[in-house]
Amino acid sequence: MSRVEGKTFDAWMAALGGAPFARARLLDILDVLDRVCDAVRYAHARGVLHLDLKPETVMINDFGRVMLMDWGIAKVVEGDLPGAEGPGGRLYGTPNYVAPEQIESPESLDERTDVSGLGGLLYAALAQRPPHQGTSAVATLAAAALCEVERPTALPPSVPAELVALAMDALSYA
């Protein structure tokens, strides 16, 4: 494997400086997310699901190159790799970003699972917190299973309402 140097998505956003949602900063964030969408679209076109999209799996190097990392629990849709549930019913994914179907019906995972992860990335960028939160990992997973996501509030007018709606729609259980 090659050594990848850079910052995770959340560290990169923190290092941007300036007003949290200044137009230029928001456009930079959306540019990174667009490139992550391209990587996910490429994987989906080849029958691969990532299944663990979160700020820590997105790296941005000093030259602005965006890389989607940590394909360790990826699933080949045709079944060449194990699914999201490992031996002993162990859940794979990050509780704060897991899609409801990863908890409730891991056998039904498809591209929508990664769409939920992409929505989680956008949500984290806007709300500056993960979509699912709880007082413990179990409480966080329960919130994710019920698709309980608190709508980001107190965002400045520079953040289009359509972006919030897009994040919430991507995170909704369909």
Side-chain angles (χ1 to χ4, degrees), residues 78-150:
E78 288 78 31
D80 293 352
L81 295 176
E85 190 172 337
R90 182 173 166 216
L91 172 81
Y92 287 98
T94 302
N96 294 108
Y97 292 90
V98 73
E101 63 271 19
Q102 286 177 276
I103 301 164
E104 298 294 319
S105 55
E107 68 285 346
S108 70
L109 303 179
D110 61 24
E111 290 83 358
R112 292 173 293 182
T113 307
D114 282 344
V115 169
S116 178
L118 292 168
L121 285 171
L122 177 57
Y123 183 95
L126 297 175
Q128 299 179 344
R129 66 177 184 273
H132 307 298
Q133 297 184 73
T135 55
S136 67
V138 172
T140 301
L141 287 170
L146 294 172
C147 204
E148 293 177 353
V149 181
E150 184 182 319

Short mmCIF file of all heavy atoms in Angstrom, two decimals, residues 78-150:
data_model
loop_
_atom_site.label_atom_id
_atom_site.label_comp_id
_atom_site.label_asym_id
_atom_site.label_seq_id
_atom_site.Cartn_x
_atom_site.Cartn_y
_atom_site.Cartn_z
N GLU A 78 -22.09 -8.42 -5.94
CA GLU A 78 -22.32 -9.76 -6.46
C GLU A 78 -22.03 -10.83 -5.42
O GLU A 78 -22.21 -12.00 -5.66
CB GLU A 78 -21.47 -10.02 -7.72
CG GLU A 78 -21.95 -9.27 -8.94
CD GLU A 78 -21.54 -7.80 -8.92
OE1 GLU A 78 -20.48 -7.46 -8.35
OE2 GLU A 78 -22.30 -6.98 -9.45
N GLY A 79 -21.48 -10.45 -4.25
CA GLY A 79 -21.26 -11.40 -3.18
C GLY A 79 -19.87 -11.98 -3.11
O GLY A 79 -19.66 -12.97 -2.42
N ASP A 80 -18.88 -11.40 -3.78
CA ASP A 80 -17.53 -11.94 -3.73
C ASP A 80 -16.84 -11.69 -2.39
O ASP A 80 -15.88 -12.35 -2.05
CB ASP A 80 -16.66 -11.32 -4.83
CG ASP A 80 -17.10 -11.75 -6.22
OD1 ASP A 80 -17.98 -12.63 -6.32
OD2 ASP A 80 -16.59 -11.20 -7.19
N LEU A 81 -17.32 -10.71 -1.65
CA LEU A 81 -16.76 -10.39 -0.35
C LEU A 81 -17.84 -10.54 0.70
O LEU A 81 -19.03 -10.49 0.39
CB LEU A 81 -16.24 -8.94 -0.33
CG LEU A 81 -15.06 -8.62 -1.24
CD1 LEU A 81 -14.74 -7.14 -1.17
CD2 LEU A 81 -13.84 -9.42 -0.83
N PRO A 82 -17.45 -10.68 1.97
CA PRO A 82 -18.47 -10.78 3.01
C PRO A 82 -19.28 -9.50 3.09
O PRO A 82 -18.82 -8.43 2.73
CB PRO A 82 -17.66 -11.00 4.29
CG PRO A 82 -16.28 -10.60 3.97
CD PRO A 82 -16.10 -10.75 2.49
N GLY A 83 -20.50 -9.63 3.59
CA GLY A 83 -21.38 -8.48 3.75
C GLY A 83 -20.98 -7.62 4.92
O GLY A 83 -19.89 -7.75 5.48
N ALA A 84 -21.88 -6.75 5.34
CA ALA A 84 -21.58 -5.81 6.41
C ALA A 84 -21.63 -6.46 7.78
O ALA A 84 -21.18 -5.88 8.75
CB ALA A 84 -22.55 -4.64 6.36
N GLU A 85 -22.20 -7.66 7.89
CA GLU A 85 -22.28 -8.31 9.18
C GLU A 85 -21.26 -9.43 9.21
O GLU A 85 -21.27 -10.32 8.38
CB GLU A 85 -23.68 -8.86 9.43
CG GLU A 85 -23.85 -9.33 10.84
CD GLU A 85 -25.30 -9.70 11.13
OE1 GLU A 85 -26.19 -9.22 10.45
OE2 GLU A 85 -25.48 -10.50 12.06
N GLY A 86 -20.36 -9.34 10.16
CA GLY A 86 -19.29 -10.32 10.24
C GLY A 86 -19.65 -11.49 11.13
O GLY A 86 -20.80 -11.65 11.56
N PRO A 87 -18.66 -12.31 11.47
CA PRO A 87 -18.89 -13.47 12.32
C PRO A 87 -19.50 -13.06 13.65
O PRO A 87 -19.13 -12.05 14.23
CB PRO A 87 -17.49 -14.06 12.52
CG PRO A 87 -16.66 -13.47 11.44
CD PRO A 87 -17.29 -12.16 11.05
N GLY A 88 -20.43 -13.85 14.13
CA GLY A 88 -21.04 -13.57 15.42
C GLY A 88 -21.98 -12.39 15.40
O GLY A 88 -22.32 -11.85 16.45
N GLY A 89 -22.45 -11.96 14.24
CA GLY A 89 -23.38 -10.86 14.17
C GLY A 89 -22.76 -9.50 14.43
O GLY A 89 -23.46 -8.54 14.69
N ARG A 90 -21.46 -9.41 14.36
CA ARG A 90 -20.78 -8.14 14.62
C ARG A 90 -21.09 -7.12 13.52
O ARG A 90 -21.00 -7.42 12.34
CB ARG A 90 -19.27 -8.38 14.67
CG ARG A 90 -18.51 -7.12 14.99
CD ARG A 90 -17.04 -7.40 15.20
NE ARG A 90 -16.35 -6.13 15.16
CZ ARG A 90 -15.16 -5.95 14.65
NH1 ARG A 90 -14.50 -6.97 14.17
NH2 ARG A 90 -14.61 -4.78 14.63
N LEU A 91 -21.47 -5.93 13.94
CA LEU A 91 -21.79 -4.87 13.00
C LEU A 91 -20.51 -4.20 12.54
O LEU A 91 -19.63 -3.91 13.34
CB LEU A 91 -22.70 -3.83 13.67
CG LEU A 91 -22.96 -2.59 12.85
CD1 LEU A 91 -24.04 -2.86 11.83
CD2 LEU A 91 -23.35 -1.44 13.75
N TYR A 92 -20.42 -3.95 11.25
CA TYR A 92 -19.31 -3.20 10.71
C TYR A 92 -19.81 -1.84 10.29
O TYR A 92 -20.85 -1.72 9.66
CB TYR A 92 -18.67 -3.93 9.52
CG TYR A 92 -17.87 -5.13 9.96
CD1 TYR A 92 -18.41 -6.40 9.91
CD2 TYR A 92 -16.58 -4.98 10.44
CE1 TYR A 92 -17.69 -7.49 10.32
CE2 TYR A 92 -15.85 -6.07 10.86
CZ TYR A 92 -16.41 -7.32 10.80
OH TYR A 92 -15.69 -8.40 11.21
N GLY A 93 -19.05 -0.83 10.61
CA GLY A 93 -19.42 0.54 10.31
C GLY A 93 -19.19 1.38 11.55
O GLY A 93 -18.81 0.87 12.61
N THR A 94 -19.39 2.65 11.42
CA THR A 94 -19.18 3.57 12.53
C THR A 94 -20.53 4.02 13.06
O THR A 94 -21.32 4.59 12.29
CB THR A 94 -18.35 4.77 12.04
OG1 THR A 94 -17.12 4.27 11.50
CG2 THR A 94 -18.07 5.75 13.16
N PRO A 95 -20.83 3.77 14.33
CA PRO A 95 -22.16 4.06 14.86
C PRO A 95 -22.68 5.47 14.54
O PRO A 95 -23.85 5.62 14.22
CB PRO A 95 -22.00 3.86 16.37
CG PRO A 95 -20.94 2.81 16.47
CD PRO A 95 -19.98 3.13 15.35
N ASN A 96 -21.82 6.48 14.59
CA ASN A 96 -22.28 7.85 14.33
C ASN A 96 -22.69 8.08 12.88
O ASN A 96 -23.37 9.06 12.58
CB ASN A 96 -21.18 8.86 14.70
CG ASN A 96 -20.89 8.89 16.17
OD1 ASN A 96 -19.85 8.42 16.59
ND2 ASN A 96 -21.80 9.40 16.94
N TYR A 97 -22.27 7.20 11.97
CA TYR A 97 -22.53 7.39 10.54
C TYR A 97 -23.23 6.21 9.88
O TYR A 97 -23.50 6.24 8.69
CB TYR A 97 -21.21 7.69 9.80
CG TYR A 97 -20.65 9.03 10.19
CD1 TYR A 97 -19.76 9.16 11.25
CD2 TYR A 97 -21.04 10.19 9.52
CE1 TYR A 97 -19.27 10.40 11.63
CE2 TYR A 97 -20.56 11.43 9.90
CZ TYR A 97 -19.68 11.52 10.95
OH TYR A 97 -19.21 12.75 11.33
N VAL A 98 -23.52 5.16 10.63
CA VAL A 98 -24.08 3.94 10.05
C VAL A 98 -25.50 4.20 9.53
O VAL A 98 -26.26 4.98 10.09
CB VAL A 98 -24.04 2.79 11.09
CG1 VAL A 98 -25.07 2.98 12.18
CG2 VAL A 98 -24.19 1.45 10.44
N ALA A 99 -25.83 3.55 8.42
CA ALA A 99 -27.18 3.65 7.85
C ALA A 99 -28.10 2.67 8.59
O ALA A 99 -27.65 1.63 9.07
CB ALA A 99 -27.14 3.32 6.36
N PRO A 100 -29.39 2.99 8.69
CA PRO A 100 -30.32 2.12 9.43
C PRO A 100 -30.29 0.67 8.96
O PRO A 100 -30.34 -0.26 9.77
CB PRO A 100 -31.69 2.75 9.18
CG PRO A 100 -31.40 4.16 8.83
CD PRO A 100 -30.06 4.17 8.16
N GLU A 101 -30.18 0.45 7.65
CA GLU A 101 -30.21 -0.93 7.14
C GLU A 101 -28.96 -1.71 7.53
O GLU A 101 -28.98 -2.95 7.53
CB GLU A 101 -30.43 -0.95 5.63
CG GLU A 101 -29.35 -0.30 4.81
CD GLU A 101 -29.56 1.19 4.56
OE1 GLU A 101 -30.33 1.83 5.30
OE2 GLU A 101 -28.92 1.70 3.62
N GLN A 102 -27.89 -1.05 7.88
CA GLN A 102 -26.69 -1.77 8.33
C GLN A 102 -26.94 -2.41 9.69
O GLN A 102 -26.27 -3.38 10.04
CB GLN A 102 -25.48 -0.84 8.39
CG GLN A 102 -24.94 -0.49 7.02
CD GLN A 102 -23.79 0.48 7.09
OE1 GLN A 102 -23.99 1.68 7.17
NE2 GLN A 102 -22.57 -0.04 7.06
N ILE A 103 -27.91 -1.90 10.42
CA ILE A 103 -28.25 -2.43 11.73
C ILE A 103 -29.40 -3.42 11.61
O ILE A 103 -29.35 -4.53 12.12
CB ILE A 103 -28.66 -1.29 12.69
CG1 ILE A 103 -27.53 -0.29 12.83
CG2 ILE A 103 -29.08 -1.84 14.05
CD1 ILE A 103 -27.95 1.04 13.42
N GLU A 104 -30.45 -3.00 10.90
CA GLU A 104 -31.69 -3.76 10.84
C GLU A 104 -31.67 -4.91 9.85
O GLU A 104 -32.25 -5.96 10.12
CB GLU A 104 -32.85 -2.82 10.50
CG GLU A 104 -33.07 -1.73 11.55
CD GLU A 104 -33.53 -2.30 12.89
OE1 GLU A 104 -34.36 -3.21 12.90
OE2 GLU A 104 -33.02 -1.82 13.92
N SER A 105 -31.08 -4.71 8.68
CA SER A 105 -31.12 -5.76 7.65
C SER A 105 -29.86 -5.70 6.79
O SER A 105 -29.91 -5.31 5.63
CB SER A 105 -32.38 -5.60 6.79
OG SER A 105 -32.45 -4.30 6.25
N PRO A 106 -28.72 -6.12 7.34
CA PRO A 106 -27.46 -6.03 6.61
C PRO A 106 -27.45 -6.81 5.31
O PRO A 106 -26.64 -6.53 4.43
CB PRO A 106 -26.41 -6.55 7.59
CG PRO A 106 -27.15 -7.18 8.70
CD PRO A 106 -28.55 -6.65 8.68
N GLU A 107 -28.36 -7.75 5.15
CA GLU A 107 -28.43 -8.50 3.89
C GLU A 107 -29.01 -7.66 2.75
O GLU A 107 -28.88 -8.02 1.59
CB GLU A 107 -29.23 -9.79 4.07
CG GLU A 107 -30.72 -9.58 4.32
CD GLU A 107 -31.10 -9.09 5.72
OE1 GLU A 107 -30.26 -9.14 6.64
OE2 GLU A 107 -32.25 -8.65 5.89
N SER A 108 -29.62 -6.52 3.08
CA SER A 108 -30.27 -5.70 2.05
C SER A 108 -29.45 -4.48 1.64
O SER A 108 -29.99 -3.57 1.02
CB SER A 108 -31.65 -5.24 2.55
OG SER A 108 -31.49 -4.30 3.60
N LEU A 109 -28.18 -4.47 1.94
CA LEU A 109 -27.36 -3.31 1.62
C LEU A 109 -27.25 -3.12 0.11
O LEU A 109 -27.12 -4.08 -0.64
CB LEU A 109 -25.96 -3.46 2.21
CG LEU A 109 -25.89 -3.67 3.72
CD1 LEU A 109 -24.45 -3.84 4.17
CD2 LEU A 109 -26.54 -2.53 4.46
N ASP A 110 -27.31 -1.86 -0.31
CA ASP A 110 -27.12 -1.53 -1.71
C ASP A 110 -26.57 -0.11 -1.79
O ASP A 110 -26.12 0.43 -0.78
CB ASP A 110 -28.41 -1.73 -2.52
CG ASP A 110 -29.56 -0.86 -2.05
OD1 ASP A 110 -29.34 0.20 -1.43
OD2 ASP A 110 -30.72 -1.23 -2.32
N GLU A 111 -26.61 0.48 -2.95
CA GLU A 111 -26.03 1.80 -3.16
C GLU A 111 -26.62 2.85 -2.23
O GLU A 111 -25.96 3.82 -1.85
CB GLU A 111 -26.20 2.25 -4.61
CG GLU A 111 -25.36 1.47 -5.60
CD GLU A 111 -25.98 0.15 -6.04
OE1 GLU A 111 -27.07 -0.22 -5.56
OE2 GLU A 111 -25.34 -0.53 -6.87
N ARG A 112 -27.88 2.66 -1.81
CA ARG A 112 -28.51 3.62 -0.91
C ARG A 112 -27.79 3.72 0.42
O ARG A 112 -27.81 4.76 1.08
CB ARG A 112 -29.98 3.26 -0.70
CG ARG A 112 -30.82 3.44 -1.97
CD ARG A 112 -32.21 2.92 -1.79
NE ARG A 112 -32.14 1.46 -1.64
CZ ARG A 112 -33.20 0.68 -1.50
NH1 ARG A 112 -34.41 1.20 -1.48
NH2 ARG A 112 -33.06 -0.62 -1.39
N THR A 113 -27.14 2.64 0.83
CA THR A 113 -26.37 2.66 2.08
C THR A 113 -25.25 3.68 1.98
O THR A 113 -25.02 4.47 2.91
CB THR A 113 -25.81 1.26 2.38
OG1 THR A 113 -26.89 0.32 2.35
CG2 THR A 113 -25.12 1.22 3.73
N ASP A 114 -24.55 3.71 0.87
CA ASP A 114 -23.50 4.71 0.68
C ASP A 114 -24.07 6.10 0.47
O ASP A 114 -23.45 7.09 0.86
CB ASP A 114 -22.59 4.33 -0.50
CG ASP A 114 -21.58 3.24 -0.13
OD1 ASP A 114 -21.36 2.98 1.07
OD2 ASP A 114 -20.99 2.66 -1.07
N VAL A 115 -25.26 6.21 -0.12
CA VAL A 115 -25.90 7.52 -0.25
C VAL A 115 -26.16 8.09 1.14
O VAL A 115 -25.94 9.28 1.40
CB VAL A 115 -27.20 7.44 -1.08
CG1 VAL A 115 -28.00 8.74 -0.98
CG2 VAL A 115 -26.87 7.12 -2.53
N SER A 116 -26.57 7.24 2.06
CA SER A 116 -26.75 7.67 3.44
C SER A 116 -25.42 8.16 4.02
O SER A 116 -25.36 9.18 4.71
CB SER A 116 -27.31 6.52 4.29
OG SER A 116 -27.44 6.92 5.64
N GLY A 117 -24.35 7.44 3.73
CA GLY A 117 -23.01 7.86 4.20
C GLY A 117 -22.60 9.19 3.62
O GLY A 117 -22.01 10.03 4.30
N LEU A 118 -22.90 9.41 2.35
CA LEU A 118 -22.59 10.71 1.72
C LEU A 118 -23.41 11.81 2.39
O LEU A 118 -22.91 12.91 2.63
CB LEU A 118 -22.86 10.65 0.22
CG LEU A 118 -21.92 9.76 -0.58
CD1 LEU A 118 -22.47 9.55 -2.00
CD2 LEU A 118 -20.51 10.32 -0.62
N GLY A 119 -24.67 11.51 2.69
CA GLY A 119 -25.50 12.47 3.42
C GLY A 119 -24.92 12.76 4.79
O GLY A 119 -24.96 13.90 5.26
N GLY A 120 -24.35 11.74 5.42
CA GLY A 120 -23.70 11.93 6.72
C GLY A 120 -22.50 12.86 6.63
O GLY A 120 -22.26 13.67 7.52
N LEU A 121 -21.74 12.73 5.55
CA LEU A 121 -20.60 13.64 5.35
C LEU A 121 -21.07 15.08 5.18
O LEU A 121 -20.49 16.00 5.78
CB LEU A 121 -19.79 13.21 4.13
CG LEU A 121 -18.91 11.98 4.29
CD1 LEU A 121 -18.34 11.55 2.94
CD2 LEU A 121 -17.79 12.24 5.28
N LEU A 122 -22.10 15.28 4.36
CA LEU A 122 -22.63 16.63 4.16
C LEU A 122 -23.20 17.17 5.46
O LEU A 122 -22.96 18.32 5.84
CB LEU A 122 -23.69 16.63 3.06
CG LEU A 122 -24.39 17.97 2.78
CD1 LEU A 122 -23.38 19.07 2.42
CD2 LEU A 122 -25.42 17.80 1.66
N TYR A 123 -23.93 16.33 6.17
CA TYR A 123 -24.49 16.72 7.47
C TYR A 123 -23.39 17.16 8.43
O TYR A 123 -23.49 18.20 9.08
CB TYR A 123 -25.29 15.56 8.06
CG TYR A 123 -25.97 15.89 9.37
CD1 TYR A 123 -27.30 16.30 9.38
CD2 TYR A 123 -25.30 15.78 10.58
CE1 TYR A 123 -27.94 16.61 10.56
CE2 TYR A 123 -25.93 16.10 11.77
CZ TYR A 123 -27.25 16.51 11.77
OH TYR A 123 -27.88 16.82 12.95
N ALA A 124 -22.33 16.36 8.52
CA ALA A 124 -21.22 16.68 9.42
C ALA A 124 -20.58 18.01 9.05
O ALA A 124 -20.18 18.78 9.93
CB ALA A 124 -20.18 15.56 9.41
N ALA A 125 -20.48 18.28 7.75
CA ALA A 125 -19.90 19.55 7.31
C ALA A 125 -20.79 20.72 7.71
O ALA A 125 -20.28 21.77 8.13
CB ALA A 125 -19.68 19.53 5.80
N LEU A 126 -22.10 20.55 7.60
CA LEU A 126 -23.02 21.64 7.90
C LEU A 126 -23.26 21.80 9.40
O LEU A 126 -23.19 22.91 9.93
CB LEU A 126 -24.36 21.41 7.19
CG LEU A 126 -24.34 21.38 5.67
CD1 LEU A 126 -25.70 21.02 5.13
CD2 LEU A 126 -23.86 22.72 5.11
N ALA A 127 -23.54 20.69 10.07
CA ALA A 127 -23.89 20.74 11.50
C ALA A 127 -22.67 20.76 12.40
O ALA A 127 -22.77 21.07 13.58
CB ALA A 127 -24.78 19.55 11.85
N GLN A 128 -21.52 20.39 11.84
CA GLN A 128 -20.27 20.27 12.57
C GLN A 128 -20.38 19.27 13.72
O GLN A 128 -19.82 19.44 14.80
CB GLN A 128 -19.79 21.65 13.04
CG GLN A 128 -19.55 22.56 11.86
CD GLN A 128 -19.08 23.95 12.24
OE1 GLN A 128 -19.19 24.39 13.38
NE2 GLN A 128 -18.55 24.65 11.27
N ARG A 129 -21.14 18.19 13.42
CA ARG A 129 -21.28 17.05 14.32
C ARG A 129 -21.80 15.88 13.48
O ARG A 129 -22.36 16.08 12.42
CB ARG A 129 -22.22 17.37 15.48
CG ARG A 129 -23.66 17.59 15.06
CD ARG A 129 -24.57 17.84 16.26
NE ARG A 129 -25.95 17.95 15.85
CZ ARG A 129 -26.54 19.07 15.45
NH1 ARG A 129 -25.88 20.20 15.41
NH2 ARG A 129 -27.82 19.06 15.09
N PRO A 130 -21.64 14.66 13.96
CA PRO A 130 -22.14 13.51 13.19
C PRO A 130 -23.66 13.45 13.24
O PRO A 130 -24.29 14.00 14.15
CB PRO A 130 -21.50 12.31 13.89
CG PRO A 130 -21.14 12.78 15.24
CD PRO A 130 -20.92 14.26 15.15
N PRO A 131 -24.27 12.76 12.28
CA PRO A 131 -25.73 12.70 12.25
C PRO A 131 -26.36 11.91 13.40
O PRO A 131 -27.44 12.25 13.87
CB PRO A 131 -26.05 12.04 10.91
CG PRO A 131 -24.79 11.38 10.47
CD PRO A 131 -23.67 12.11 11.12
N HIS A 132 -25.70 10.85 13.85
CA HIS A 132 -26.25 10.02 14.92
C HIS A 132 -25.41 10.21 16.17
O HIS A 132 -24.19 10.05 16.14
CB HIS A 132 -26.26 8.55 14.53
CG HIS A 132 -26.93 8.28 13.22
ND1 HIS A 132 -28.27 8.56 12.99
CD2 HIS A 132 -26.46 7.79 12.06
CE1 HIS A 132 -28.58 8.23 11.76
NE2 HIS A 132 -27.50 7.77 11.16
N GLN A 133 -26.09 10.54 17.26
CA GLN A 133 -25.39 10.73 18.52
C GLN A 133 -26.20 10.10 19.65
O GLN A 133 -27.42 10.08 19.59
CB GLN A 133 -25.21 12.21 18.82
CG GLN A 133 -24.34 12.93 17.79
CD GLN A 133 -24.11 14.37 18.18
OE1 GLN A 133 -23.37 14.65 19.10
NE2 GLN A 133 -24.76 15.28 17.47
N GLY A 134 -25.50 9.63 20.63
CA GLY A 134 -26.15 9.06 21.80
C GLY A 134 -25.20 9.11 22.97
O GLY A 134 -24.02 9.44 22.81
N THR A 135 -25.69 8.75 24.12
CA THR A 135 -24.85 8.77 25.32
C THR A 135 -23.92 7.57 25.39
O THR A 135 -23.02 7.53 26.22
CB THR A 135 -25.74 8.83 26.59
OG1 THR A 135 -26.65 7.72 26.54
CG2 THR A 135 -26.51 10.14 26.66
N SER A 136 -24.16 6.59 24.52
CA SER A 136 -23.30 5.40 24.44
C SER A 136 -23.36 4.88 23.01
O SER A 136 -24.18 5.34 22.21
CB SER A 136 -23.81 4.32 25.40
OG SER A 136 -25.07 3.83 24.96
N ALA A 137 -22.52 3.90 22.71
CA ALA A 137 -22.54 3.30 21.37
C ALA A 137 -23.90 2.65 21.11
O ALA A 137 -24.44 2.76 20.01
CB ALA A 137 -21.42 2.29 21.21
N VAL A 138 -24.47 2.01 22.12
CA VAL A 138 -25.78 1.36 21.97
C VAL A 138 -26.86 2.41 21.69
O VAL A 138 -27.70 2.22 20.80
CB VAL A 138 -26.12 0.52 23.22
CG1 VAL A 138 -27.55 0.00 23.17
CG2 VAL A 138 -25.14 -0.64 23.36
N ALA A 139 -26.83 3.52 22.42
CA ALA A 139 -27.82 4.59 22.20
C ALA A 139 -27.64 5.22 20.82
O ALA A 139 -28.61 5.57 20.16
CB ALA A 139 -27.70 5.64 23.29
N THR A 140 -26.39 5.36 20.39
CA THR A 140 -26.12 5.91 19.06
C THR A 140 -26.65 4.98 17.98
O THR A 140 -27.28 5.43 17.02
CB THR A 140 -24.61 6.15 18.88
OG1 THR A 140 -24.17 7.06 19.90
CG2 THR A 140 -24.29 6.74 17.52
N LEU A 141 -26.43 3.68 18.13
CA LEU A 141 -26.94 2.70 17.16
C LEU A 141 -28.47 2.68 17.16
O LEU A 141 -29.09 2.54 16.11
CB LEU A 141 -26.39 1.31 17.46
CG LEU A 141 -24.92 1.11 17.10
CD1 LEU A 141 -24.43 -0.23 17.65
CD2 LEU A 141 -24.71 1.18 15.60
N ALA A 142 -29.09 2.84 18.33
CA ALA A 142 -30.55 2.88 18.40
C ALA A 142 -31.08 4.10 17.64
O ALA A 142 -32.06 3.99 16.90
CB ALA A 142 -31.02 2.91 19.86
N ALA A 143 -30.42 5.24 17.80
CA ALA A 143 -30.83 6.45 17.07
C ALA A 143 -30.67 6.24 15.57
O ALA A 143 -31.53 6.64 14.78
CB ALA A 143 -30.02 7.66 17.54
N ALA A 144 -29.58 5.59 15.17
CA ALA A 144 -29.34 5.33 13.75
C ALA A 144 -30.39 4.36 13.20
O ALA A 144 -30.91 4.56 12.11
CB ALA A 144 -27.94 4.77 13.54
N ALA A 145 -30.72 3.31 13.97
CA ALA A 145 -31.70 2.33 13.51
C ALA A 145 -33.07 2.97 13.32
O ALA A 145 -33.81 2.61 12.40
CB ALA A 145 -31.80 1.18 14.51
N LEU A 146 -33.40 3.95 14.17
CA LEU A 146 -34.69 4.64 14.06
C LEU A 146 -34.63 5.82 13.09
O LEU A 146 -35.62 6.50 12.89
CB LEU A 146 -35.13 5.14 15.44
CG LEU A 146 -35.45 4.05 16.45
CD1 LEU A 146 -35.69 4.67 17.83
CD2 LEU A 146 -36.65 3.24 16.00
N CYS A 147 -33.44 6.04 12.56
CA CYS A 147 -33.22 7.15 11.63
C CYS A 147 -33.55 8.50 12.29
O CYS A 147 -34.14 9.38 11.68
CB CYS A 147 -34.03 6.94 10.35
SG CYS A 147 -33.32 7.83 8.96
N GLU A 148 -33.15 8.63 13.54
CA GLU A 148 -33.35 9.87 14.28
C GLU A 148 -32.16 10.78 14.03
O GLU A 148 -31.08 10.57 14.56
CB GLU A 148 -33.50 9.59 15.77
CG GLU A 148 -34.75 8.83 16.13
CD GLU A 148 -34.84 8.50 17.61
OE1 GLU A 148 -33.86 8.73 18.36
OE2 GLU A 148 -35.88 7.98 18.02
N VAL A 149 -32.39 11.79 13.23
CA VAL A 149 -31.34 12.76 12.93
C VAL A 149 -31.91 14.15 13.20
O VAL A 149 -32.91 14.54 12.62
CB VAL A 149 -30.88 12.66 11.45
CG1 VAL A 149 -29.77 13.67 11.16
CG2 VAL A 149 -30.41 11.25 11.14
N GLU A 150 -31.25 14.85 14.10
CA GLU A 150 -31.68 16.21 14.43
C GLU A 150 -31.30 17.15 13.30
O GLU A 150 -30.13 17.22 12.90
CB GLU A 150 -31.01 16.65 15.73
CG GLU A 150 -31.44 17.99 16.22
CD GLU A 150 -30.72 18.39 17.49
OE1 GLU A 150 -30.54 17.53 18.37
OE2 GLU A 150 -30.32 19.56 17.60
#
